[in-house]
Amino acid sequence: MGHIFKPKKARRVPEGTEIIAVRGKHFAEWTDSEGKTTREVAKLGRDGKWRSTQQCGTYFARYKAADGRSVTRTTGCKTMDAARQVLADFERKVERERVGAMTPRERKMVEHGNRALPGHIDDYIGALAARGATQAHVDNVKRFLDFMTKGCGWTALKDVNRADFEKWIGRLRVEPRCEGGPTLGARSLNARIAAAKAFCNWLAQVDRISVTPLSGVRPLNEKADRRHERRAFTPAELSALFDGAARRPLADRLEKNRGHGQAKLKKSTRSTLESLGMERALIYRTLAFTGLRFGELKSITVGQVKLDVKPAHIELQARDEKARRGALIPLRDDLAGLLRRHMTEKLSALQRAAQAVGKPIPIALDVKTPLFDIPGKMNRIFDRDLTFAEIDKTDVHGHVLDIHSLRHTYATMLAKAGVPLQQAQQLMRHSDPKLTAGVYTHLGVLDGAAAVARIPGLPPVEPEKRAQVAHAETSPVATTAVTTVGSSNRVHFLPNRDAATPEHSNASAKKQTPANANVYRGFQRMPSRDNENKMVGGAGLEPATPCMSSKYSNHLS
């Protein structure tokens, strides 16, 4: 038989507390910042400091579990009657477990269901981090789940249900994130749906719930609600981007001296700005001709660029790739030459800097040196390069250009070069060829027209065959029909009513015949077996139907 009680906890008395002795008991009395006087039982500790004993505001329950252990847990109740009812519920569950009506797994699920939901979210985030997920992914999932908990009004795990979740998603589709701002698109909502479903799947895997409550929630149609649809660069736009990115740092510095002519720059300053522009152009070129994602390119070091082997390639580590598989990225010969020159200039700059301060001059780049010095706000720099190169960021169809559009351009160039889809999928490092062909490849009407133009034309009819066709048009035509007898097809040639007899066929072909004597009457009806020699009338051309396919055919065997 269990019992309920209010536990007591000791705490240090605040400064300025007065210790009062009443009938052999000591009390601590003090006044808080609000002017309220508090008196609690005080005891002197072993360290010589007074501590007050405070009684908890809620009742706790203590009872025997099914395995005989003593269990103490809070009831969450402030009244004695309510606490006794909770204790009775605890004991009923123990009795069900003792007689086999509830398994220990089910009992743990009930306990997890009463636990606060943020605690489960923290455990899941810890599991993601231990699994090797990136910190950016962990932070996004944590933000999505906290946002979900607040939006759905859930406090405990047992509150999670599909109805509340779908209502919350529905509100996000129509309510803007901020006043006057846009609503969330289908892709953003699908990211939140995927995070919530993955969380529920993990709860089921670790036996915290028996059935995932969000298993029936389907993702939204992203094709019907695209908010940021990218496009690929045209060859002219790509060349303009490379040229504009190389010239813009110096041009911007010269324009800062507005109203006073061009600024007079030192030779070293001009060289630094030119090198900065060339490096930025090479960053864009590397993204466009390797298909690397921007985050993957930031992780590339000098040691991962293999230029002295055939073919030249970049080793992308598994920890830096989106799919965590790792890959070898092949390099074009012209790009490999530009990267070699870039690393040579990078080494020369380090040697000049070391010589200027009197440090040892390096003879080679450290293998851990980043390949490019990529700034943090690259998106803004990219937009400025587009403006300088006079390239529209958004076209008339609403399709936009950003840094990731260079990866779309890589896939599009592979398709235009006639690379097989399977090989393009491998170069793009996609798990599904539909993603390569349907999302990353952008082919326009001109590309389709060029493909249609490659269809070979029909050969001209030779004069001899043309004469034969003309001769056949002036000759009597025997109509044919095919009938099925048993399991074999028989071809019957039925003479035309107005056709010449066999013995005069050659002679009649040489003579001039009436205009209505040689008329093609199409497929003829088959005569009955009782009167096979009886002529039948013309039936004309009729469309093939399923019911006729077993009796008549327009193909000769």
Side-chain angles (χ1 to χ4, degrees), residues 117 145 148 152 154 157 159-169 192-201 203-204 209 211-219:
L117 188 57
L145 295 180
M148 174 195 68
C152 295
W154 297 334
L157 179 57
D159 299 332
V160 178
N161 63 88
R162 177 178 175 179
D164 290 345
F165 181 79
E166 291 181 337
K167 289 180 181 178
W168 174 65
I169 292 294
R192 287 155 175 77
I193 293 174
K197 295 179 70 173
F199 171 59
C200 291
N201 291 337
L203 290 173
I209 56 176
V211 180
T212 56
L214 305 182
S215 59
V217 179
R218 296 184 178 181

Side-chain angles (χ1 to χ4, degrees), residues 292-365:
L292 285 169
R293 301 174 179 90
F294 180 68
E296 295 171 345
L297 182 63
K298 290 176 64 177
S299 69
I300 299 300
T301 61
V302 171
Q304 296 174 243
V305 183
K306 309 297 181 181
L307 301 178
D308 298 328
V309 297
K310 292 295 182 180
H313 62 275
I314 294 176
E315 292 183 356
L316 180 60
Q317 301 294 332
R319 66 176 179 272
D320 301 322
E321 192 193 17
K322 181 179 180 181
R324 297 293 186 270
R325 293 190 298 263
L328 301 180
I329 311 299
L331 298 174
R332 289 165 50 101
D333 293 338
D334 55 349
L335 180 58
L338 293 174
L339 291 176
R340 185 186 300 275
R341 187 176 69 179
H342 168 70
M343 290 191 293
T344 302
E345 294 176 353
K346 199 177 186 70
L347 176 60
S348 300
L350 288 177
Q351 291 174 344
R352 291 193 299 268
Q355 186 177 7
V357 297
K359 292 184 177 181
I361 300 176
I363 60 175
L365 290 173

